[in-house]
PDB file of all heavy atoms in Angstrom:
ATOM      1  N   GLU A 122      -0.971  26.261  18.553  1.00 98.00           N
ATOM      2  CA  GLU A 122      -1.257  25.250  17.491  1.00 98.00           C
ATOM      3  C   GLU A 122      -0.362  25.295  16.294  1.00 98.00           C
ATOM      4  O   GLU A 122      -0.236  24.339  15.538  1.00 98.00           O
ATOM      5  CB  GLU A 122      -2.739  25.379  17.066  1.00 98.00           C
ATOM      6  CG  GLU A 122      -3.728  25.189  18.181  1.00 98.00           C
ATOM      7  CD  GLU A 122      -3.708  23.750  18.766  1.00 98.00           C
ATOM      8  OE1 GLU A 122      -3.424  22.829  17.973  1.00 98.00           O
ATOM      9  OE2 GLU A 122      -3.952  23.597  19.986  1.00 98.00           O
ATOM     10  N   GLY A 123       0.272  26.469  16.067  1.00 98.00           N
ATOM     11  CA  GLY A 123       1.185  26.514  14.906  1.00 98.00           C
ATOM     12  C   GLY A 123       1.075  27.834  14.123  1.00 98.00           C
ATOM     13  O   GLY A 123       0.393  28.769  14.506  1.00 98.00           O
ATOM     14  N   PHE A 124       1.799  27.859  12.992  1.00 98.00           N
ATOM     15  CA  PHE A 124       1.957  29.013  12.189  1.00 98.00           C
ATOM     16  C   PHE A 124       1.714  28.679  10.705  1.00 98.00           C
ATOM     17  O   PHE A 124       1.652  27.506  10.365  1.00 98.00           O
ATOM     18  CB  PHE A 124       3.375  29.577  12.312  1.00 98.00           C
ATOM     19  CG  PHE A 124       3.686  29.926  13.758  1.00 98.00           C
ATOM     20  CD1 PHE A 124       4.096  28.923  14.660  1.00 98.00           C
ATOM     21  CD2 PHE A 124       3.618  31.252  14.237  1.00 98.00           C
ATOM     22  CE1 PHE A 124       4.371  29.253  15.992  1.00 98.00           C
ATOM     23  CE2 PHE A 124       3.861  31.546  15.550  1.00 98.00           C
ATOM     24  CZ  PHE A 124       4.289  30.558  16.470  1.00 98.00           C
ATOM     25  N   GLY A 125       1.545  29.698   9.866  1.00 98.00           N
ATOM     26  CA  GLY A 125       1.256  29.409   8.472  1.00 98.00           C
ATOM     27  C   GLY A 125       1.223  30.630   7.594  1.00 98.00           C
ATOM     28  O   GLY A 125       1.544  31.781   8.049  1.00 98.00           O
ATOM     29  N   GLY A 126       0.744  30.472   6.367  1.00 98.00           N
ATOM     30  CA  GLY A 126       0.595  31.551   5.413  1.00 98.00           C
ATOM     31  C   GLY A 126      -0.557  31.281   4.465  1.00 98.00           C
ATOM     32  O   GLY A 126      -1.221  30.208   4.576  1.00 98.00           O
ATOM     33  N   ALA A 127      -0.815  32.213   3.589  1.00 98.00           N
ATOM     34  CA  ALA A 127      -1.998  32.128   2.666  1.00 98.00           C
ATOM     35  C   ALA A 127      -1.620  31.727   1.258  1.00 98.00           C
ATOM     36  O   ALA A 127      -0.660  32.246   0.725  1.00 98.00           O
ATOM     37  CB  ALA A 127      -2.771  33.439   2.689  1.00 98.00           C
ATOM     38  N   PHE A 128      -2.446  30.868   0.684  1.00 99.00           N
ATOM     39  CA  PHE A 128      -2.268  30.375  -0.693  1.00 99.00           C
ATOM     40  C   PHE A 128      -3.354  31.030  -1.525  1.00 99.00           C
ATOM     41  O   PHE A 128      -4.400  30.462  -1.793  1.00 99.00           O
ATOM     42  CB  PHE A 128      -2.428  28.876  -0.702  1.00 99.00           C
ATOM     43  CG  PHE A 128      -1.662  28.210  -1.816  1.00 99.00           C
ATOM     44  CD1 PHE A 128      -0.480  27.523  -1.624  1.00 99.00           C
ATOM     45  CD2 PHE A 128      -2.200  28.203  -3.140  1.00 99.00           C
ATOM     46  CE1 PHE A 128       0.206  26.907  -2.667  1.00 99.00           C
ATOM     47  CE2 PHE A 128      -1.552  27.594  -4.152  1.00 99.00           C
ATOM     48  CZ  PHE A 128      -0.335  26.957  -3.939  1.00 99.00           C
ATOM     49  N   THR A 129      -3.117  32.262  -1.963  1.00 98.00           N
ATOM     50  CA  THR A 129      -4.094  33.042  -2.714  1.00 98.00           C
ATOM     51  C   THR A 129      -3.969  32.744  -4.197  1.00 98.00           C
ATOM     52  O   THR A 129      -3.060  32.044  -4.660  1.00 98.00           O
ATOM     53  CB  THR A 129      -3.882  34.555  -2.468  1.00 98.00           C
ATOM     54  OG1 THR A 129      -2.539  34.903  -2.967  1.00 98.00           O
ATOM     55  CG2 THR A 129      -3.946  34.904  -0.991  1.00 98.00           C
ATOM     56  N   GLY A 130      -4.823  33.421  -4.997  1.00 98.00           N
ATOM     57  CA  GLY A 130      -4.720  33.312  -6.416  1.00 98.00           C
ATOM     58  C   GLY A 130      -3.383  33.859  -6.908  1.00 98.00           C
ATOM     59  O   GLY A 130      -2.790  33.344  -7.918  1.00 98.00           O
ATOM     60  N   ALA A 131      -2.930  34.965  -6.322  1.00 98.00           N
ATOM     61  CA  ALA A 131      -1.661  35.560  -6.705  1.00 98.00           C
ATOM     62  C   ALA A 131      -0.502  34.592  -6.429  1.00 98.00           C
ATOM     63  O   ALA A 131       0.443  34.441  -7.254  1.00 98.00           O
ATOM     64  CB  ALA A 131      -1.416  36.858  -5.910  1.00 98.00           C
ATOM     65  N   VAL A 132      -0.547  33.940  -5.270  1.00 98.00           N
ATOM     66  CA  VAL A 132       0.463  32.936  -4.919  1.00 98.00           C
ATOM     67  C   VAL A 132       0.495  31.799  -5.986  1.00 98.00           C
ATOM     68  O   VAL A 132       1.512  31.397  -6.513  1.00 98.00           O
ATOM     69  CB  VAL A 132       0.262  32.335  -3.552  1.00 98.00           C
ATOM     70  CG1 VAL A 132       1.164  31.137  -3.264  1.00 98.00           C
ATOM     71  CG2 VAL A 132       0.490  33.456  -2.510  1.00 98.00           C
ATOM     72  N   SER A 133      -0.715  31.306  -6.302  1.00 98.00           N
ATOM     73  CA  SER A 133      -0.824  30.204  -7.298  1.00 98.00           C
ATOM     74  C   SER A 133      -0.288  30.633  -8.655  1.00 98.00           C
ATOM     75  O   SER A 133       0.429  29.897  -9.300  1.00 98.00           O
ATOM     76  CB  SER A 133      -2.320  29.830  -7.399  1.00 98.00           C
ATOM     77  OG  SER A 133      -2.509  28.814  -8.335  1.00 98.00           O
ATOM     78  N   TYR A 134      -0.653  31.854  -9.061  1.00 98.00           N
ATOM     79  CA  TYR A 134      -0.171  32.364 -10.377  1.00 98.00           C
ATOM     80  C   TYR A 134       1.336  32.428 -10.381  1.00 98.00           C
ATOM     81  O   TYR A 134       2.014  31.973 -11.332  1.00 98.00           O
ATOM     82  CB  TYR A 134      -0.760  33.722 -10.659  1.00 98.00           C
ATOM     83  CG  TYR A 134      -0.201  34.359 -11.915  1.00 98.00           C
ATOM     84  CD1 TYR A 134      -0.696  34.014 -13.182  1.00 98.00           C
ATOM     85  CD2 TYR A 134       0.797  35.337 -11.772  1.00 98.00           C
ATOM     86  CE1 TYR A 134      -0.123  34.582 -14.330  1.00 98.00           C
ATOM     87  CE2 TYR A 134       1.338  35.871 -12.948  1.00 98.00           C
ATOM     88  CZ  TYR A 134       0.894  35.514 -14.201  1.00 98.00           C
ATOM     89  OH  TYR A 134       1.418  36.107 -15.316  1.00 98.00           O
ATOM     90  N   ASN A 135       1.935  33.030  -9.358  1.00 98.00           N
ATOM     91  CA  ASN A 135       3.389  33.198  -9.352  1.00 98.00           C
ATOM     92  C   ASN A 135       4.080  31.856  -9.301  1.00 98.00           C
ATOM     93  O   ASN A 135       5.067  31.661  -9.990  1.00 98.00           O
ATOM     94  CB  ASN A 135       3.780  34.037  -8.089  1.00 98.00           C
ATOM     95  CG  ASN A 135       3.410  35.507  -8.223  1.00 98.00           C
ATOM     96  OD1 ASN A 135       3.378  36.052  -9.330  1.00 98.00           O
ATOM     97  ND2 ASN A 135       3.133  36.116  -7.102  1.00 98.00           N
ATOM     98  N   LEU A 136       3.577  30.946  -8.501  1.00 98.00           N
ATOM     99  CA  LEU A 136       4.190  29.596  -8.486  1.00 98.00           C
ATOM    100  C   LEU A 136       4.146  28.944  -9.843  1.00 98.00           C
ATOM    101  O   LEU A 136       5.083  28.218 -10.223  1.00 98.00           O
ATOM    102  CB  LEU A 136       3.432  28.700  -7.441  1.00 98.00           C
ATOM    103  CG  LEU A 136       3.721  29.015  -6.015  1.00 98.00           C
ATOM    104  CD1 LEU A 136       2.717  28.260  -5.115  1.00 98.00           C
ATOM    105  CD2 LEU A 136       5.115  28.689  -5.594  1.00 98.00           C
ATOM    106  N   GLY A 137       3.058  29.130 -10.583  1.00 98.00           N
ATOM    107  CA  GLY A 137       2.915  28.510 -11.855  1.00 98.00           C
ATOM    108  C   GLY A 137       3.917  28.980 -12.894  1.00 98.00           C
ATOM    109  O   GLY A 137       4.134  28.321 -13.904  1.00 98.00           O
ATOM    110  N   GLN A 138       4.521  30.168 -12.687  1.00 98.00           N
ATOM    111  CA  GLN A 138       5.461  30.721 -13.621  1.00 98.00           C
ATOM    112  C   GLN A 138       6.936  30.249 -13.337  1.00 98.00           C
ATOM    113  O   GLN A 138       7.789  30.423 -14.173  1.00 98.00           O
ATOM    114  CB  GLN A 138       5.469  32.244 -13.606  1.00 98.00           C
ATOM    115  CG  GLN A 138       4.095  32.902 -13.683  1.00 98.00           C
ATOM    116  CD  GLN A 138       3.310  32.419 -14.868  1.00 98.00           C
ATOM    117  OE1 GLN A 138       3.797  32.483 -15.969  1.00 98.00           O
ATOM    118  NE2 GLN A 138       2.103  31.955 -14.597  1.00 98.00           N
ATOM    119  N   LEU A 139       7.146  29.637 -12.179  1.00 98.00           N
ATOM    120  CA  LEU A 139       8.487  29.350 -11.729  1.00 98.00           C
ATOM    121  C   LEU A 139       9.016  28.035 -12.337  1.00 98.00           C
ATOM    122  O   LEU A 139       8.253  27.121 -12.611  1.00 98.00           O
ATOM    123  CB  LEU A 139       8.553  29.261 -10.216  1.00 98.00           C
ATOM    124  CG  LEU A 139       8.240  30.556  -9.440  1.00 98.00           C
ATOM    125  CD1 LEU A 139       8.314  30.289  -7.951  1.00 98.00           C
ATOM    126  CD2 LEU A 139       9.169  31.707  -9.840  1.00 98.00           C
ATOM    127  N   ASN A 140      10.318  27.953 -12.413  1.00 96.00           N
ATOM    128  CA  ASN A 140      10.970  26.678 -12.705  1.00 96.00           C
ATOM    129  C   ASN A 140      10.535  25.650 -11.613  1.00 96.00           C
ATOM    130  O   ASN A 140      10.517  25.980 -10.430  1.00 96.00           O
ATOM    131  CB  ASN A 140      12.479  26.898 -12.650  1.00 96.00           C
ATOM    132  CG  ASN A 140      13.266  25.613 -12.903  1.00 96.00           C
ATOM    133  OD1 ASN A 140      13.250  24.684 -12.156  1.00 96.00           O
ATOM    134  ND2 ASN A 140      14.025  25.606 -13.992  1.00 96.00           N
ATOM    135  N   PRO A 141      10.133  24.442 -12.007  1.00 97.00           N
ATOM    136  CA  PRO A 141       9.645  23.487 -11.009  1.00 97.00           C
ATOM    137  C   PRO A 141      10.576  23.230  -9.841  1.00 97.00           C
ATOM    138  O   PRO A 141      10.119  23.057  -8.713  1.00 97.00           O
ATOM    139  CB  PRO A 141       9.442  22.225 -11.863  1.00 97.00           C
ATOM    140  CG  PRO A 141       9.170  22.722 -13.242  1.00 97.00           C
ATOM    141  CD  PRO A 141      10.030  23.935 -13.393  1.00 97.00           C
ATOM    142  N   ALA A 142      11.865  23.226 -10.148  1.00 98.00           N
ATOM    143  CA  ALA A 142      12.866  22.966  -9.046  1.00 98.00           C
ATOM    144  C   ALA A 142      12.825  24.131  -8.045  1.00 98.00           C
ATOM    145  O   ALA A 142      12.921  23.902  -6.845  1.00 98.00           O
ATOM    146  CB  ALA A 142      14.256  22.789  -9.660  1.00 98.00           C
ATOM    147  N   LEU A 143      12.757  25.368  -8.494  1.00 98.00           N
ATOM    148  CA  LEU A 143      12.623  26.470  -7.624  1.00 98.00           C
ATOM    149  C   LEU A 143      11.343  26.450  -6.837  1.00 98.00           C
ATOM    150  O   LEU A 143      11.308  26.719  -5.635  1.00 98.00           O
ATOM    151  CB  LEU A 143      12.772  27.797  -8.418  1.00 98.00           C
ATOM    152  CG  LEU A 143      12.571  29.108  -7.609  1.00 98.00           C
ATOM    153  CD1 LEU A 143      13.520  29.209  -6.422  1.00 98.00           C
ATOM    154  CD2 LEU A 143      12.734  30.328  -8.544  1.00 98.00           C
ATOM    155  N   ARG A 144      10.257  26.150  -7.497  1.00 98.00           N
ATOM    156  CA  ARG A 144       8.963  26.010  -6.843  1.00 98.00           C
ATOM    157  C   ARG A 144       9.020  25.018  -5.686  1.00 98.00           C
ATOM    158  O   ARG A 144       8.553  25.263  -4.618  1.00 98.00           O
ATOM    159  CB  ARG A 144       7.883  25.636  -7.859  1.00 98.00           C
ATOM    160  CG  ARG A 144       6.483  25.536  -7.255  1.00 98.00           C
ATOM    161  CD  ARG A 144       5.474  25.496  -8.311  1.00 98.00           C
ATOM    162  NE  ARG A 144       5.515  24.269  -9.165  1.00 98.00           N
ATOM    163  CZ  ARG A 144       5.803  24.264 -10.462  1.00 98.00           C
ATOM    164  NH1 ARG A 144       6.006  25.413 -11.110  1.00 98.00           N
ATOM    165  NH2 ARG A 144       5.886  23.139 -11.153  1.00 98.00           N
ATOM    166  N   GLU A 145       9.646  23.869  -5.944  1.00 98.00           N
ATOM    167  CA  GLU A 145       9.735  22.855  -4.926  1.00 98.00           C
ATOM    168  C   GLU A 145      10.609  23.345  -3.746  1.00 98.00           C
ATOM    169  O   GLU A 145      10.317  23.031  -2.593  1.00 98.00           O
ATOM    170  CB  GLU A 145      10.306  21.556  -5.479  1.00 98.00           C
ATOM    171  CG  GLU A 145       9.336  20.827  -6.451  1.00 98.00           C
ATOM    172  CD  GLU A 145       9.854  19.492  -6.854  1.00 98.00           C
ATOM    173  OE1 GLU A 145      10.865  19.012  -6.297  1.00 98.00           O
ATOM    174  OE2 GLU A 145       9.201  18.858  -7.702  1.00 98.00           O
TER     175      GLU A 145
END
């Protein structure tokens, strides 16, 4: 059916600190 990863609170926090272009 496919593959994936986890979107935890740590992931969300780290993404929030990044430059938007890098995040995208």
Side-chain angles (χ1 to χ4, degrees):
E122 298 296 327
F124 301 81
F128 207 103
T129 63
V132 171
S133 178
Y134 173 82
N135 288 330
L136 286 169
Q138 311 307 307
L139 297 179
N140 180 293
L143 174 56
R144 183 168 62 243
E145 290 188 7

